[in-house]
Amino acid sequence: QQQVKQSPQSLIVQKGGIPIINCAYENTAFDYFPWYQQFPGKGPALLIAIRPDVSEKKEGRFTISFNKSAKQFSLHIMDSQPGDSATYFCAATYFGNEKLTFGTGTRLTIIP
Amino acid sequence: DVKVTQSSRYLVKRTGEKVFLECVQDMDHENMFWYRQDPGLGLRLIYFSYDVKMKEKGDIPEGYSVSREKKERFSLILESASTNQTSMYLCASSRPGVAYEQYFGPGTRLTVT
């Protein structure tokens, strides 16, 4: 019930393409869904987050889409650049919980 | 600039050794976390601390212990290191009630031979 399933495990996209990373969850108590970005040699850092009362959130070239009925959410990167190459983690939590449940990560490579 | 620092970037230890991984944060956060990161397994929580001297087991606490004597410092202890504890260890901190925003250190790559 606490799992967050993330796919794909790795993804290679050409520059300018739109990589899409998908996550699914079972626990309906989850009410906040952040995404983290991790560059090689660094710790993960918060990228963008969404609540289930909205279906989409954009920050720059990064968009989260949320489907509450399907219990799925996804990250899209518009006009992807080689500098976006990183590992991306989805996560979930709920009000009153001080911990995050992370997905297994997606290693994204943007080729020029 | 907020910071979480970890005592070592790389560490090589022998099987059976006692290993200490140190983490310090300068944000006055109550919550601190230790994770291990393995390919294909993501970030798995080892231990969580919500206050000085307070701790809670995470998903994979076996073989590990923790210590938090000061608010800014959280230590992970491997009592008797084993080869299956070879991994990347990440420390993080957060404010209470803001679980979605954790600040991570750069990680310690531990190799147990």
Side-chain angles (χ1 to χ4, degrees):
Chain A
Q1 269 251 315
Q2 287 290 335
Q3 276 189 319
V4 176
K5 295 182 180 178
Q6 182 171 350
S7 63
Q9 188 169 342
S10 63
L11 186 57
I12 300 173
V13 173
Q14 206 136 27
K15 178 184 172 184
I18 305 175
I20 301 172
I21 303 170
N22 299 298
C23 287
Y25 63 97
E26 289 294 324
N27 187 350
T28 54
F30 287 144
D31 62 4
Y32 213 86
F33 301 88
W35 285 87
Y36 280 73
Q37 179 187 53
Q38 182 183 29
F39 292 109
K42 306 282 188 183
L46 179 65
L47 180 64
I48 185 174
I50 194 169
R51 289 197 180 280
D53 52 350
V54 297
S55 60
E56 187 176 275
K57 183 174 181 179
K58 289 184 182 180
E59 281 188 11
R61 295 183 294 105
F62 298 90
T63 298
I64 303 177
S65 298
F66 191 86
N67 185 331
K68 189 173 181 179
S69 60
K71 292 186 283 187
Q72 295 175 347
F73 56 110
S74 58
L75 178 70
H76 302 230
I77 306 175
M78 309 303 287
D79 187 28
S80 58
Q81 301 295 314
D84 296 328
S85 297
T87 299
Y88 292 82
F89 293 96
C90 62
T93 188
Y94 53 86
F95 179 77
N97 181 18
E98 298 293 338
K99 294 175 280 188
L100 283 171
T101 299
F102 284 93
T104 49
T106 297
R107 186 169 183 171
L108 173 65
T109 304
I110 308 297
I111 54 176
Chain B
D1 195 21
V2 295
K3 239 180 188 172
V4 178
T5 56
Q6 295 184 229
S7 52
S8 306
R9 294 301 303 271
Y10 300 94
L11 211 50
V12 180
K13 295 291 182 182
R14 293 188 181 272
T15 301
E17 278 194 84
K18 190 168 187 175
V19 182
F20 293 86
L21 302 182
E22 305 284 338
C23 174
V24 178
Q25 51 96 0
D26 66 359
M27 294 166 280
D28 202 34
H29 285 169
E30 280 78 4
N31 297 335
M32 296 190 74
F33 307 83
W34 275 107
Y35 295 90
R36 64 177 281 177
Q37 180 176 6
D38 300 287
L41 297 177
L43 300 170
R44 293 181 293 166
L45 182 65
I46 304 171
Y47 266 97
F48 160 56
S49 171
Y50 50 92
D51 202 348
V52 174
K53 297 190 187 293
M54 306 304 288
K55 62 186 178 185
E56 189 177 299
K57 290 180 180 179
D59 300 317
I60 51 164
E62 297 78 20
Y64 304 94
S65 62
V66 290
S67 172
R68 192 162 179 206
E69 298 296 320
K70 293 186 177 181
K71 189 176 185 181
E72 67 270 19
R73 189 178 298 269
F74 192 33
S75 303
L76 180 69
I77 304 154
L78 287 66
E79 295 289 342
S80 177
S82 63
T83 55
N84 63 13
Q85 292 179 309
T86 291
S87 186
M88 171 68 81
Y89 289 88
L90 289 161
C91 175
S93 71
S94 71
R95 289 176 288 139
V98 194
Y100 65 90
E101 188 171 24
Q102 293 187 11
Y103 293 86
F104 283 83
T108 296
R109 171 74 64 185
L110 173 67
T111 302
V112 182
T113 61

